């Protein structure tokens, strides 16, 4: 990112943790006939937080294409290769964990044969409850992996494979394509599926268009601050209308409009927060690997806690509401505990599980104790392919030098304690070294 794009970088960084909390809230929704618990869960899980996944697609498209000026074969191969590790590998690992979880007991008891194991493996990696012979049904909503939130990674990897198509179409006639996709989204003129869902296609294209055209979304909204505030007011009104029209024949149009305006309004809120918040806020301290850990683990935890809490609390109004919020907390806190414990005692294993998003504690400690070591060979980069770099604990004199490499965000963190090193010349040499490594 260039200096002029600092606000957009910070906005994206600040959105990281709130968006994953929103995804957790979406998956904690349980349909109930109890009036007040249904109303609460619907507003939180089906209205407000429904902007989270579109924003993730938009950010992914923006970061993927931001540094691309010409889509050559070598660039395409490099990008796909890096996404194999950071997108495809976690998809395989965590669905394999689900496969083991589903099959180990039946195999030990002798209740599952090899054919049954293969069928279960197909369900885990390709689509649950989907007959192997019905490949024509892969676009249906049931086409979800065992760790169902990871459909996002699957779709994102498909979009990466199709990235040259996105690039050339959006570069030549991007405005018309986005207009057509927006109309399809608002009117419901699209296939009812997950792989090429209209929210995914639309918002990945929106982010890609801004990245290809080198546009700065945060600066654009700041320049139209008055209109952006109207968007926020309009979103709140549409949320009320969404609930009021639930069950009507035209509810879809209100719901899709609410999401469409809500994406812009939510991004505007994050931009305002980025403008006014200190650089060492809580949102800056949460590592990108921890966010990704919540993403890949929360549904696995939720599958157990949801049944347990409802069994303990019963079907009362208070019980449903308490279970709802308890599920949100447990599905967030447990992965965070797992992340920080593993990052302390087994960082290399954690890095493998998260597609390279963990920063080993030893490297962090080395950066703090010996900042000059960062300049030796330029090997101590801190990549986080979920959108941002790992954030180290704040200390006096820490400088953040932001770069992009291979289309993904590399937040190269140069730790220079001015009280110890003291000279601007050394700071300059470190900056030059990192710049050279990022351009290589």
């Amino acid at each position: 990112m260039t200096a002029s794009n600092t606000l957009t970088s910070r906005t994206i960084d600040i959105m990281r943790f709130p968006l994953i909390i929103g995804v957790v809230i979406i998956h904690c929704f349980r349909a109930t006939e109890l009036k007040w618990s249904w109303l609460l869960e619907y507003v939180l899980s089906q209205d407000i937080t429904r902007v989270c996944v579109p924003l993730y697609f938009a950010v992914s498209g923006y970061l993927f294409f931001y540094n691309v000026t010409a889509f050559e074969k070598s660039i395409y191969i490099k990008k796909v290769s890096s996404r194999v590790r950071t997108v495809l590998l976690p998809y395989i690992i965590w669905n394999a964990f689900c496969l083991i979880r589903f099959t180990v007991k039946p195999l030990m008891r002798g209740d599952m044969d090899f054919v049954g194991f293969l069928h279960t493996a197909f369900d885990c990696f390709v689509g649950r409850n989907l007959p192997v012979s019905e490949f024509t049904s892969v676009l249906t909503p049931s086409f979800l992996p065992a760790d169902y939130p990871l459909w996002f990674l699957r779709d994102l990897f498909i979009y990466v494979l199709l990235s040259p198509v996105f690039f050339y179409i959006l570069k030549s006639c991007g405005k018309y394509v986005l207009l057509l996709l927006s109309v399809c989204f608002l009117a419901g003129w699209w296939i009812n599926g997950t792989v090429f869902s209209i929210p995914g296609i639309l918002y990945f294209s929106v982010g890609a268009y801004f990245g290809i055209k080198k546009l700065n979304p945060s600066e654009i909204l700041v320049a139209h601050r008055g209109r952006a505030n109207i968007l926020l007011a309009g979103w709140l009104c549409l949320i009320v209308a969404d609930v009021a029209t639930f069950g009507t024949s035209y509810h879809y149009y209100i719901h899709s409009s609410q999401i469409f305006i809500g994406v812009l309004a939510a991004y505007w809120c994050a931009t305002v927060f980025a403008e006014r918040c200190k650089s060492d806020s809580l949102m800056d301290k949460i590592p990108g690997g921890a966010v990704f850990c919540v993403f890949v683990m929360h549904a696995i935890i939720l599958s157990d806690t949801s049944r347990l809490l409802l069994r303990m609390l019963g079907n009362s109004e208070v019980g449903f509401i308490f279970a709802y919020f308890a599920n949100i907390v447990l599905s967030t806190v447990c992965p965070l505990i797992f992340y920080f414990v593993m990052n302390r005692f087994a960082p290399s294993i954690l890095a493998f599980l998260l597609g390279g998003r963990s920063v080993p504690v030893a490297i962090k400690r080395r950066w703090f104790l010996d900042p000059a070591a960062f300049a030796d060979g330029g090997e101590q980069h801190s990549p986080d392919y979920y959108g941002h770099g790992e954030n180290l604990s704040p200390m006096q004199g820490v400088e953040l030098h932001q770069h992009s490499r291979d289309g993904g965000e590399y937040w190269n963190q140069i730790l220079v304690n001015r009280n110890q090193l003291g000279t601007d010349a050394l700071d300059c040499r470190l900056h030059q070294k990192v710049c050279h490594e990022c351009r290589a």
Side-chain angles (χ1 to χ4, degrees), residues 192-224:
N192 183 23
T194 54
V195 176
F196 294 104
S197 65
I198 184 59
I201 293 286
L202 169 60
Y203 285 100
F204 184 82
S205 298
V206 169
Y209 178 79
F210 274 76
I212 292 168
K213 298 297 183 179
K214 308 298 179 284
L215 300 175
N216 189 331
S218 293
E219 294 294 342
I220 293 174
L221 287 175
V222 169
H224 301 84

PDB file of all heavy atoms in Angstrom, residues 192-224:
ATOM      1  N   ASN A 192     -29.593 -20.308  -7.371  1.00  0.00           N
ATOM      2  CA  ASN A 192     -29.643 -20.454  -5.925  1.00  0.00           C
ATOM      3  C   ASN A 192     -28.581 -21.458  -5.503  1.00  0.00           C
ATOM      4  O   ASN A 192     -28.820 -22.651  -5.435  1.00  0.00           O
ATOM      5  CB  ASN A 192     -31.031 -20.918  -5.479  1.00  0.00           C
ATOM      6  CG  ASN A 192     -31.129 -21.012  -3.972  1.00  0.00           C
ATOM      7  OD1 ASN A 192     -30.368 -20.363  -3.260  1.00  0.00           O
ATOM      8  ND2 ASN A 192     -32.050 -21.833  -3.498  1.00  0.00           N
ATOM      9  N   GLY A 193     -27.381 -20.974  -5.239  1.00  0.00           N
ATOM     10  CA  GLY A 193     -26.296 -21.869  -4.893  1.00  0.00           C
ATOM     11  C   GLY A 193     -25.232 -21.186  -4.088  1.00  0.00           C
ATOM     12  O   GLY A 193     -25.368 -20.048  -3.664  1.00  0.00           O
ATOM     13  N   THR A 194     -24.137 -21.913  -3.847  1.00  0.00           N
ATOM     14  CA  THR A 194     -23.060 -21.391  -3.012  1.00  0.00           C
ATOM     15  C   THR A 194     -21.775 -21.136  -3.777  1.00  0.00           C
ATOM     16  O   THR A 194     -21.063 -20.183  -3.491  1.00  0.00           O
ATOM     17  CB  THR A 194     -22.767 -22.379  -1.866  1.00  0.00           C
ATOM     18  OG1 THR A 194     -22.504 -23.675  -2.416  1.00  0.00           O
ATOM     19  CG2 THR A 194     -23.940 -22.470  -0.911  1.00  0.00           C
ATOM     20  N   VAL A 195     -21.439 -21.983  -4.744  1.00  0.00           N
ATOM     21  CA  VAL A 195     -20.142 -21.855  -5.406  1.00  0.00           C
ATOM     22  C   VAL A 195     -20.056 -20.552  -6.182  1.00  0.00           C
ATOM     23  O   VAL A 195     -19.098 -19.794  -6.034  1.00  0.00           O
ATOM     24  CB  VAL A 195     -19.886 -23.060  -6.331  1.00  0.00           C
ATOM     25  CG1 VAL A 195     -18.583 -22.871  -7.086  1.00  0.00           C
ATOM     26  CG2 VAL A 195     -19.843 -24.341  -5.522  1.00  0.00           C
ATOM     27  N   PHE A 196     -21.027 -20.279  -7.002  1.00  0.00           N
ATOM     28  CA  PHE A 196     -21.047 -19.025  -7.755  1.00  0.00           C
ATOM     29  C   PHE A 196     -22.219 -18.171  -7.280  1.00  0.00           C
ATOM     30  O   PHE A 196     -23.026 -17.707  -8.071  1.00  0.00           O
ATOM     31  CB  PHE A 196     -21.133 -19.306  -9.256  1.00  0.00           C
ATOM     32  CG  PHE A 196     -19.914 -19.993  -9.809  1.00  0.00           C
ATOM     33  CD1 PHE A 196     -19.945 -21.337 -10.116  1.00  0.00           C
ATOM     34  CD2 PHE A 196     -18.728 -19.293  -9.994  1.00  0.00           C
ATOM     35  CE1 PHE A 196     -18.822 -21.976 -10.617  1.00  0.00           C
ATOM     36  CE2 PHE A 196     -17.604 -19.929 -10.496  1.00  0.00           C
ATOM     37  CZ  PHE A 196     -17.646 -21.268 -10.800  1.00  0.00           C
ATOM     38  N   SER A 197     -22.287 -17.987  -5.961  1.00  0.00           N
ATOM     39  CA  SER A 197     -23.365 -17.200  -5.388  1.00  0.00           C
ATOM     40  C   SER A 197     -23.227 -15.747  -5.824  1.00  0.00           C
ATOM     41  O   SER A 197     -22.116 -15.245  -6.022  1.00  0.00           O
ATOM     42  CB  SER A 197     -23.342 -17.288  -3.859  1.00  0.00           C
ATOM     43  OG  SER A 197     -22.153 -16.701  -3.351  1.00  0.00           O
ATOM     44  N   ILE A 198     -24.348 -15.071  -5.945  1.00  0.00           N
ATOM     45  CA  ILE A 198     -24.311 -13.684  -6.391  1.00  0.00           C
ATOM     46  C   ILE A 198     -23.611 -12.765  -5.381  1.00  0.00           C
ATOM     47  O   ILE A 198     -22.889 -11.854  -5.789  1.00  0.00           O
ATOM     48  CB  ILE A 198     -25.735 -13.178  -6.732  1.00  0.00           C
ATOM     49  CG1 ILE A 198     -25.684 -11.753  -7.289  1.00  0.00           C
ATOM     50  CG2 ILE A 198     -26.634 -13.263  -5.531  1.00  0.00           C
ATOM     51  CD1 ILE A 198     -24.861 -11.576  -8.535  1.00  0.00           C
ATOM     52  N   PRO A 199     -23.757 -12.959  -4.042  1.00  0.00           N
ATOM     53  CA  PRO A 199     -22.975 -12.102  -3.135  1.00  0.00           C
ATOM     54  C   PRO A 199     -21.471 -12.277  -3.330  1.00  0.00           C
ATOM     55  O   PRO A 199     -20.719 -11.300  -3.320  1.00  0.00           O
ATOM     56  CB  PRO A 199     -23.417 -12.554  -1.741  1.00  0.00           C
ATOM     57  CG  PRO A 199     -24.761 -13.160  -1.944  1.00  0.00           C
ATOM     58  CD  PRO A 199     -24.696 -13.823  -3.289  1.00  0.00           C
ATOM     59  N   GLY A 200     -21.018 -13.536  -3.515  1.00  0.00           N
ATOM     60  CA  GLY A 200     -19.593 -13.770  -3.712  1.00  0.00           C
ATOM     61  C   GLY A 200     -19.076 -13.150  -4.997  1.00  0.00           C
ATOM     62  O   GLY A 200     -18.060 -12.450  -5.005  1.00  0.00           O
ATOM     63  N   ILE A 201     -19.770 -13.423  -6.109  1.00  0.00           N
ATOM     64  CA  ILE A 201     -19.352 -12.878  -7.403  1.00  0.00           C
ATOM     65  C   ILE A 201     -19.386 -11.354  -7.389  1.00  0.00           C
ATOM     66  O   ILE A 201     -18.439 -10.680  -7.827  1.00  0.00           O
ATOM     67  CB  ILE A 201     -20.262 -13.413  -8.523  1.00  0.00           C
ATOM     68  CG1 ILE A 201     -20.056 -14.919  -8.719  1.00  0.00           C
ATOM     69  CG2 ILE A 201     -20.007 -12.671  -9.827  1.00  0.00           C
ATOM     70  CD1 ILE A 201     -18.763 -15.285  -9.397  1.00  0.00           C
ATOM     71  N   LEU A 202     -20.466 -10.771  -6.877  1.00  0.00           N
ATOM     72  CA  LEU A 202     -20.622  -9.317  -6.886  1.00  0.00           C
ATOM     73  C   LEU A 202     -19.544  -8.630  -6.065  1.00  0.00           C
ATOM     74  O   LEU A 202     -18.852  -7.730  -6.575  1.00  0.00           O
ATOM     75  CB  LEU A 202     -22.007  -8.937  -6.353  1.00  0.00           C
ATOM     76  CG  LEU A 202     -22.228  -7.444  -6.062  1.00  0.00           C
ATOM     77  CD1 LEU A 202     -22.051  -6.602  -7.312  1.00  0.00           C
ATOM     78  CD2 LEU A 202     -23.608  -7.211  -5.440  1.00  0.00           C
ATOM     79  N   TYR A 203     -19.378  -9.046  -4.818  1.00  0.00           N
ATOM     80  CA  TYR A 203     -18.486  -8.283  -3.929  1.00  0.00           C
ATOM     81  C   TYR A 203     -17.013  -8.600  -4.163  1.00  0.00           C
ATOM     82  O   TYR A 203     -16.159  -7.742  -3.934  1.00  0.00           O
ATOM     83  CB  TYR A 203     -18.904  -8.491  -2.481  1.00  0.00           C
ATOM     84  CG  TYR A 203     -20.162  -7.709  -2.187  1.00  0.00           C
ATOM     85  CD1 TYR A 203     -21.416  -8.325  -2.166  1.00  0.00           C
ATOM     86  CD2 TYR A 203     -20.109  -6.337  -2.002  1.00  0.00           C
ATOM     87  CE1 TYR A 203     -22.571  -7.601  -1.941  1.00  0.00           C
ATOM     88  CE2 TYR A 203     -21.263  -5.603  -1.778  1.00  0.00           C
ATOM     89  CZ  TYR A 203     -22.484  -6.229  -1.752  1.00  0.00           C
ATOM     90  OH  TYR A 203     -23.623  -5.495  -1.542  1.00  0.00           O
ATOM     91  N   PHE A 204     -16.690  -9.805  -4.618  1.00  0.00           N
ATOM     92  CA  PHE A 204     -15.312 -10.037  -5.046  1.00  0.00           C
ATOM     93  C   PHE A 204     -14.997  -9.159  -6.253  1.00  0.00           C
ATOM     94  O   PHE A 204     -13.900  -8.608  -6.359  1.00  0.00           O
ATOM     95  CB  PHE A 204     -15.100 -11.511  -5.396  1.00  0.00           C
ATOM     96  CG  PHE A 204     -13.680 -11.850  -5.747  1.00  0.00           C
ATOM     97  CD1 PHE A 204     -12.748 -12.094  -4.763  1.00  0.00           C
ATOM     98  CD2 PHE A 204     -13.276 -11.913  -7.081  1.00  0.00           C
ATOM     99  CE1 PHE A 204     -11.425 -12.407  -5.081  1.00  0.00           C
ATOM    100  CE2 PHE A 204     -11.970 -12.220  -7.414  1.00  0.00           C
ATOM    101  CZ  PHE A 204     -11.037 -12.467  -6.416  1.00  0.00           C
ATOM    102  N   SER A 205     -15.969  -8.995  -7.152  1.00  0.00           N
ATOM    103  CA  SER A 205     -15.780  -8.136  -8.324  1.00  0.00           C
ATOM    104  C   SER A 205     -15.659  -6.671  -7.916  1.00  0.00           C
ATOM    105  O   SER A 205     -14.858  -5.930  -8.498  1.00  0.00           O
ATOM    106  CB  SER A 205     -16.945  -8.311  -9.298  1.00  0.00           C
ATOM    107  OG  SER A 205     -17.021  -9.634  -9.779  1.00  0.00           O
ATOM    108  N   VAL A 206     -16.449  -6.240  -6.931  1.00  0.00           N
ATOM    109  CA  VAL A 206     -16.342  -4.854  -6.463  1.00  0.00           C
ATOM    110  C   VAL A 206     -14.946  -4.584  -5.921  1.00  0.00           C
ATOM    111  O   VAL A 206     -14.298  -3.585  -6.271  1.00  0.00           O
ATOM    112  CB  VAL A 206     -17.401  -4.571  -5.378  1.00  0.00           C
ATOM    113  CG1 VAL A 206     -17.122  -3.235  -4.685  1.00  0.00           C
ATOM    114  CG2 VAL A 206     -18.797  -4.556  -5.983  1.00  0.00           C
ATOM    115  N   GLY A 207     -14.459  -5.478  -5.045  1.00  0.00           N
ATOM    116  CA  GLY A 207     -13.114  -5.305  -4.512  1.00  0.00           C
ATOM    117  C   GLY A 207     -12.059  -5.372  -5.596  1.00  0.00           C
ATOM    118  O   GLY A 207     -11.100  -4.582  -5.598  1.00  0.00           O
ATOM    119  N   ALA A 208     -12.228  -6.314  -6.526  1.00  0.00           N
ATOM    120  CA  ALA A 208     -11.261  -6.447  -7.616  1.00  0.00           C
ATOM    121  C   ALA A 208     -11.236  -5.195  -8.486  1.00  0.00           C
ATOM    122  O   ALA A 208     -10.171  -4.734  -8.894  1.00  0.00           O
ATOM    123  CB  ALA A 208     -11.610  -7.675  -8.465  1.00  0.00           C
ATOM    124  N   TYR A 209     -12.413  -4.624  -8.752  1.00  0.00           N
ATOM    125  CA  TYR A 209     -12.476  -3.412  -9.580  1.00  0.00           C
ATOM    126  C   TYR A 209     -11.733  -2.259  -8.913  1.00  0.00           C
ATOM    127  O   TYR A 209     -10.953  -1.550  -9.566  1.00  0.00           O
ATOM    128  CB  TYR A 209     -13.933  -3.033  -9.816  1.00  0.00           C
ATOM    129  CG  TYR A 209     -14.108  -1.757 -10.614  1.00  0.00           C
ATOM    130  CD1 TYR A 209     -13.956  -1.765 -11.995  1.00  0.00           C
ATOM    131  CD2 TYR A 209     -14.412  -0.545  -9.986  1.00  0.00           C
ATOM    132  CE1 TYR A 209     -14.097  -0.593 -12.734  1.00  0.00           C
ATOM    133  CE2 TYR A 209     -14.557   0.624 -10.715  1.00  0.00           C
ATOM    134  CZ  TYR A 209     -14.400   0.596 -12.080  1.00  0.00           C
ATOM    135  OH  TYR A 209     -14.533   1.764 -12.809  1.00  0.00           O
ATOM    136  N   PHE A 210     -11.949  -2.060  -7.621  1.00  0.00           N
ATOM    137  CA  PHE A 210     -11.236  -0.999  -6.906  1.00  0.00           C
ATOM    138  C   PHE A 210      -9.738  -1.255  -6.893  1.00  0.00           C
ATOM    139  O   PHE A 210      -8.937  -0.325  -7.000  1.00  0.00           O
ATOM    140  CB  PHE A 210     -11.773  -0.879  -5.480  1.00  0.00           C
ATOM    141  CG  PHE A 210     -12.975   0.004  -5.350  1.00  0.00           C
ATOM    142  CD1 PHE A 210     -14.232  -0.448  -5.752  1.00  0.00           C
ATOM    143  CD2 PHE A 210     -12.871   1.281  -4.848  1.00  0.00           C
ATOM    144  CE1 PHE A 210     -15.348   0.356  -5.653  1.00  0.00           C
ATOM    145  CE2 PHE A 210     -13.984   2.104  -4.740  1.00  0.00           C
ATOM    146  CZ  PHE A 210     -15.231   1.636  -5.144  1.00  0.00           C
ATOM    147  N   GLY A 211      -9.342  -2.537  -6.757  1.00  0.00           N
ATOM    148  CA  GLY A 211      -7.923  -2.857  -6.769  1.00  0.00           C
ATOM    149  C   GLY A 211      -7.280  -2.655  -8.125  1.00  0.00           C
ATOM    150  O   GLY A 211      -6.189  -2.106  -8.239  1.00  0.00           O
ATOM    151  N   ILE A 212      -7.970  -3.092  -9.176  1.00  0.00           N
ATOM    152  CA  ILE A 212      -7.436  -2.956 -10.531  1.00  0.00           C
ATOM    153  C   ILE A 212      -7.310  -1.489 -10.929  1.00  0.00           C
ATOM    154  O   ILE A 212      -6.320  -1.071 -11.524  1.00  0.00           O
ATOM    155  CB  ILE A 212      -8.342  -3.710 -11.538  1.00  0.00           C
ATOM    156  CG1 ILE A 212      -8.239  -5.222 -11.297  1.00  0.00           C
ATOM    157  CG2 ILE A 212      -7.939  -3.387 -12.980  1.00  0.00           C
ATOM    158  CD1 ILE A 212      -9.290  -6.026 -12.028  1.00  0.00           C
ATOM    159  N   LYS A 213      -8.310  -0.695 -10.576  1.00  0.00           N
ATOM    160  CA  LYS A 213      -8.318   0.727 -10.920  1.00  0.00           C
ATOM    161  C   LYS A 213      -7.524   1.584  -9.931  1.00  0.00           C
ATOM    162  O   LYS A 213      -7.426   2.802 -10.108  1.00  0.00           O
ATOM    163  CB  LYS A 213      -9.755   1.240 -10.983  1.00  0.00           C
ATOM    164  CG  LYS A 213     -10.619   0.562 -12.043  1.00  0.00           C
ATOM    165  CD  LYS A 213     -10.086   0.830 -13.440  1.00  0.00           C
ATOM    166  CE  LYS A 213     -10.985   0.220 -14.500  1.00  0.00           C
ATOM    167  NZ  LYS A 213     -10.501   0.487 -15.881  1.00  0.00           N
ATOM    168  N   LYS A 214      -6.961   0.930  -8.889  1.00  0.00           N
ATOM    169  CA  LYS A 214      -6.154   1.632  -7.865  1.00  0.00           C
ATOM    170  C   LYS A 214      -6.960   2.734  -7.190  1.00  0.00           C
ATOM    171  O   LYS A 214      -6.465   3.831  -6.922  1.00  0.00           O
ATOM    172  CB  LYS A 214      -4.864   2.194  -8.481  1.00  0.00           C
ATOM    173  CG  LYS A 214      -4.048   1.173  -9.254  1.00  0.00           C
ATOM    174  CD  LYS A 214      -3.583   0.027  -8.346  1.00  0.00           C
ATOM    175  CE  LYS A 214      -2.791  -1.028  -9.102  1.00  0.00           C
ATOM    176  NZ  LYS A 214      -3.601  -1.909  -9.920  1.00  0.00           N
ATOM    177  N   LEU A 215      -8.215   2.438  -6.896  1.00  0.00           N
ATOM    178  CA  LEU A 215      -9.085   3.384  -6.208  1.00  0.00           C
ATOM    179  C   LEU A 215      -8.977   3.178  -4.701  1.00  0.00           C
ATOM    180  O   LEU A 215      -8.711   2.074  -4.231  1.00  0.00           O
ATOM    181  CB  LEU A 215     -10.543   3.192  -6.651  1.00  0.00           C
ATOM    182  CG  LEU A 215     -10.819   3.392  -8.143  1.00  0.00           C
ATOM    183  CD1 LEU A 215     -12.267   3.058  -8.469  1.00  0.00           C
ATOM    184  CD2 LEU A 215     -10.492   4.821  -8.564  1.00  0.00           C
ATOM    185  N   ASN A 216      -9.197   4.239  -3.961  1.00  0.00           N
ATOM    186  CA  ASN A 216      -9.088   4.204  -2.514  1.00  0.00           C
ATOM    187  C   ASN A 216     -10.484   4.355  -1.915  1.00  0.00           C
ATOM    188  O   ASN A 216     -11.000   5.473  -1.807  1.00  0.00           O
ATOM    189  CB  ASN A 216      -8.177   5.345  -2.045  1.00  0.00           C
ATOM    190  CG  ASN A 216      -7.847   5.253  -0.570  1.00  0.00           C
ATOM    191  OD1 ASN A 216      -8.626   4.744   0.222  1.00  0.00           O
ATOM    192  ND2 ASN A 216      -6.688   5.754  -0.196  1.00  0.00           N
ATOM    193  N   PRO A 217     -11.145   3.270  -1.521  1.00  0.00           N
ATOM    194  CA  PRO A 217     -12.537   3.357  -1.068  1.00  0.00           C
ATOM    195  C   PRO A 217     -12.735   4.240   0.161  1.00  0.00           C
ATOM    196  O   PRO A 217     -13.727   4.963   0.253  1.00  0.00           O
ATOM    197  CB  PRO A 217     -12.909   1.900  -0.783  1.00  0.00           C
ATOM    198  CG  PRO A 217     -11.612   1.178  -0.649  1.00  0.00           C
ATOM    199  CD  PRO A 217     -10.643   1.892  -1.524  1.00  0.00           C
ATOM    200  N   SER A 218     -11.810   4.197   1.101  1.00  0.00           N
ATOM    201  CA  SER A 218     -11.960   5.016   2.305  1.00  0.00           C
ATOM    202  C   SER A 218     -11.886   6.502   1.981  1.00  0.00           C
ATOM    203  O   SER A 218     -12.677   7.310   2.482  1.00  0.00           O
ATOM    204  CB  SER A 218     -10.892   4.641   3.339  1.00  0.00           C
ATOM    205  OG  SER A 218     -11.111   3.332   3.832  1.00  0.00           O
ATOM    206  N   GLU A 219     -10.946   6.875   1.134  1.00  0.00           N
ATOM    207  CA  GLU A 219     -10.810   8.289   0.760  1.00  0.00           C
ATOM    208  C   GLU A 219     -12.026   8.772  -0.030  1.00  0.00           C
ATOM    209  O   GLU A 219     -12.452   9.930   0.098  1.00  0.00           O
ATOM    210  CB  GLU A 219      -9.530   8.494  -0.056  1.00  0.00           C
ATOM    211  CG  GLU A 219      -8.243   8.239   0.715  1.00  0.00           C
ATOM    212  CD  GLU A 219      -8.029   9.239   1.840  1.00  0.00           C
ATOM    213  OE1 GLU A 219      -8.680  10.311   1.818  1.00  0.00           O
ATOM    214  OE2 GLU A 219      -7.251   8.944   2.762  1.00  0.00           O
ATOM    215  N   ILE A 220     -12.602   7.895  -0.837  1.00  0.00           N
ATOM    216  CA  ILE A 220     -13.798   8.271  -1.590  1.00  0.00           C
ATOM    217  C   ILE A 220     -14.958   8.558  -0.641  1.00  0.00           C
ATOM    218  O   ILE A 220     -15.690   9.546  -0.789  1.00  0.00           O
ATOM    219  CB  ILE A 220     -14.172   7.157  -2.589  1.00  0.00           C
ATOM    220  CG1 ILE A 220     -13.103   7.054  -3.687  1.00  0.00           C
ATOM    221  CG2 ILE A 220     -15.549   7.419  -3.208  1.00  0.00           C
ATOM    222  CD1 ILE A 220     -13.301   5.886  -4.632  1.00  0.00           C
ATOM    223  N   LEU A 221     -15.134   7.703   0.372  1.00  0.00           N
ATOM    224  CA  LEU A 221     -16.210   7.917   1.331  1.00  0.00           C
ATOM    225  C   LEU A 221     -15.974   9.164   2.178  1.00  0.00           C
ATOM    226  O   LEU A 221     -16.918   9.904   2.482  1.00  0.00           O
ATOM    227  CB  LEU A 221     -16.349   6.684   2.233  1.00  0.00           C
ATOM    228  CG  LEU A 221     -16.971   5.445   1.581  1.00  0.00           C
ATOM    229  CD1 LEU A 221     -16.938   4.267   2.550  1.00  0.00           C
ATOM    230  CD2 LEU A 221     -18.397   5.712   1.137  1.00  0.00           C
ATOM    231  N   VAL A 222     -14.725   9.403   2.560  1.00  0.00           N
ATOM    232  CA  VAL A 222     -14.408  10.600   3.341  1.00  0.00           C
ATOM    233  C   VAL A 222     -14.722  11.857   2.536  1.00  0.00           C
ATOM    234  O   VAL A 222     -15.222  12.852   3.070  1.00  0.00           O
ATOM    235  CB  VAL A 222     -12.932  10.585   3.786  1.00  0.00           C
ATOM    236  CG1 VAL A 222     -12.519  11.942   4.350  1.00  0.00           C
ATOM    237  CG2 VAL A 222     -12.711   9.495   4.827  1.00  0.00           C
ATOM    238  N   ALA A 223     -14.441  11.809   1.239  1.00  0.00           N
ATOM    239  CA  ALA A 223     -14.725  12.964   0.382  1.00  0.00           C
ATOM    240  C   ALA A 223     -16.219  13.220   0.232  1.00  0.00           C
ATOM    241  O   ALA A 223     -16.629  14.325  -0.121  1.00  0.00           O
ATOM    242  CB  ALA A 223     -14.088  12.759  -0.993  1.00  0.00           C
ATOM    243  N   HIS A 224     -17.034  12.194   0.495  1.00  0.00           N
ATOM    244  CA  HIS A 224     -18.500  12.337   0.425  1.00  0.00           C
ATOM    245  C   HIS A 224     -19.091  11.990   1.788  1.00  0.00           C
ATOM    246  O   HIS A 224     -20.021  11.189   1.896  1.00  0.00           O
ATOM    247  CB  HIS A 224     -19.077  11.445  -0.668  1.00  0.00           C
ATOM    248  CG  HIS A 224     -18.539  11.743  -2.036  1.00  0.00           C
ATOM    249  ND1 HIS A 224     -17.362  11.216  -2.502  1.00  0.00           N
ATOM    250  CD2 HIS A 224     -19.017  12.544  -3.039  1.00  0.00           C
ATOM    251  CE1 HIS A 224     -17.140  11.651  -3.739  1.00  0.00           C
ATOM    252  NE2 HIS A 224     -18.133  12.456  -4.083  1.00  0.00           N
TER     253      HIS A 224
END
